[in-house]
Amino acid sequence: MAHWLMKSEPEVYGIQHLRQEQTTLWDGIRNYQARNFMRSMAVGDLAFFYHSNATPPGIVGLMEVVETGLTDPSQFDPTSSYHDPKSSPANPRWDCVRLRYLREFPRLLSLETLRNTFSVEELAVVRKGNRLSILPVPEPTAARLFCLLEG
DNA sequence: GCCAACGTTGGC
DNA sequence: GCCAACGTTGGC
């Protein structure tokens, strides 16, 4: 069982939206590296929900991967801002996964605290200018995150 | 609003 | 295949 960090802007889709819906398709990922990380996810993996473009940015909750290998439907939708004209149902290029709400942490764990706690090797999100919206979290780092978030 | 980081595109 | 131009992400 692996751990991940997944970013979303709270004003677009935040942890509160997921708590209301309980499950969601994590669609709209249009970066090959992030897509490939989604492709290597397995059912039962856990993902830290990270609020980006927030004040302050940081980890706010926990999700579980409940379905993998899904084709992102928004790539075929001409009215969607995620529409990809180079993609077709016969040749889809973007995947997504389905996630389930697990819980919200009692306090946000800010990027500033993460930077003071982890090196870039331990947690890639602390690297300056990191734009990847989906990142793997090494197991030792995941264990320390749970201590910080719930201890 | 600014800017650093960096992926993508297109000319050659 | 190189590289400049451009666009996007996201912190500050």
Side-chain angles (χ1 to χ4, degrees):
Chain A
M1 192 260 291
H3 291 82
W4 307 89
L5 182 146
M6 302 177 82
K7 300 180 187 175
S8 184
E9 301 186 27
E11 297 197 355
V12 177
Y13 192 89
I15 186 77
Q16 294 85 355
H17 298 102
L18 180 60
R19 186 183 43 202
Q20 278 190 337
E21 293 190 318
Q22 288 299 304
T23 71
T24 190
L25 266 194
W26 205 264
D27 60 355
I29 299 299
R30 296 294 179 268
N31 172 286
Y32 289 104
Q33 208 178 338
R35 182 202 66 181
N36 293 342
F37 283 138
M38 279 201 298
R39 285 186 174 174
S40 61
M41 288 180 183
V43 171
D45 283 0
L46 299 180
F48 295 98
F49 197 131
Y50 178 96
H51 278 174
S52 60
N53 263 323
T55 48
I59 293 172
V60 293
L62 191 70
M63 310 180 273
E64 179 188 12
V65 177
V66 292
E67 208 175 350
T68 59
L70 303 165
T71 299
D72 181 342
S74 67
Q75 64 192 308
F76 310 126
D77 178 2
T79 69
S80 168
S81 57
Y82 300 131
H83 178 236
D84 183 350
K86 294 175 186 166
S87 195
S88 67
N91 248 336
R93 52 173 73 182
W94 304 112
D95 296 7
C96 58
V97 295
R98 189 178 301 279
L99 296 163
R100 180 167 70 89
Y101 173 87
L102 287 186
R103 59 184 176 272
E104 215 169 334
F105 294 114
R107 292 174 308 279
L108 172 142
L109 184 53
S110 70
L111 177 59
E112 185 191 10
T113 300
L114 294 173
R115 288 210 161 112
N116 292 333
T117 309
F118 297 102
S119 67
V120 171
E121 291 71 31
E122 290 167 330
L123 186 63
V125 77
V126 306
R127 193 176 76 231
K128 186 184 180 189
N130 191 328
R131 298 175 309 150
L132 247 197
S133 64
I134 298 176
L135 301 164
V137 177
E139 290 318 306
T141 300
R144 291 171 64 195
L145 281 173
F146 281 119
C147 287
L148 289 167
L149 286 158
E150 299 177 318

